[in-house]
Amino acid sequence: MFHYTVETDKPIEEAVSSLEASLKEEKFGVLWHFDIKETLESKGLEFEQPYRVLEVCNPQEAKNVLEENQMVGYFLPCKMVVYEDGGTTKIGLPKPTALIEMVNDDALKQFAQDIEDRLVTCMDRAV
């Protein structure tokens, strides 16, 4: 699977807040919030499903990985999503280990695994 996704009974806003708090514990900050529903509606398009995209970053880890291989910048910052699906709130992300395979650089696999493990821990704590 290219992604990791968890489910929670929390409403979207509460799930986003919980995720942000969990990310801070791992020294990840949210650089950008993108509310897809709100943006599409502002463009005159009807979209009923709440869907948030968060771009998250740990500055030290970003520096380390970019010094190793600048192509990784294509995947930075890390994207996480919080959305509603069939009445259930889901939190997900594309796995850094899956993305790093596209760069074909074995030296980066451990970086990706570490970041993935930490982000998965944040998601699991947020539910």
Side-chain angles (χ1 to χ4, degrees):
M1 294 286 259
F2 80 95
H3 68 95
Y4 180 76
T5 304
V6 295
E7 296 182 354
T8 180
D9 293 330
K10 295 177 182 175
I12 295 276
E13 293 300 327
E14 188 178 335
V16 169
S17 293
S18 182
L19 179 59
E20 286 179 315
S22 184
L23 288 164
K24 280 184 185 179
E25 291 178 35
E26 289 291 330
K27 298 187 177 18
F28 283 87
V30 177
L31 302 175
W32 186 59
H33 287 262
F34 181 49
D35 184 330
I36 291 180
K37 179 182 185 311
E38 181 180 286
T39 300
L40 291 176
E41 288 176 349
S42 76
K43 305 290 184 197
L45 300 169
E46 204 171 300
F47 191 76
E48 295 302 317
Q49 179 182 354
Y51 203 106
R52 303 286 178 82
V53 178
L54 287 73
E55 291 196 343
V56 305
C57 181
N58 176 304
Q60 184 61 54
E61 297 297 348
K63 176 186 177 296
N64 293 343
V65 75
L66 285 168
E67 286 177 346
E68 187 70 32
N69 187 322
Q70 292 186 29
M71 295 292 289
V72 177
Y74 286 43
F75 311 130
L76 297 179
C78 296
K79 237 182 229 348
M80 301 182 88
V81 296
V82 182
Y83 62 100
E84 191 176 292
D85 183 21
T88 301
T89 300
K90 295 185 177 181
I91 303 171
L93 82 155
K95 289 181 175 180
T97 54
L99 294 173
I100 211 70
E101 289 295 326
M102 291 186 256
V103 178
N104 198 26
D105 184 339
D106 288 339
L108 295 174
K109 289 182 180 180
Q110 189 54 47
F111 278 116
Q113 187 65 61
D114 178 57
I115 296 300
E116 182 174 309
D117 291 346
R118 291 165 64 197
L119 292 176
V120 163
T121 295
C122 291
M123 291 169 58
D124 289 344
R125 281 194 309 237
V127 299

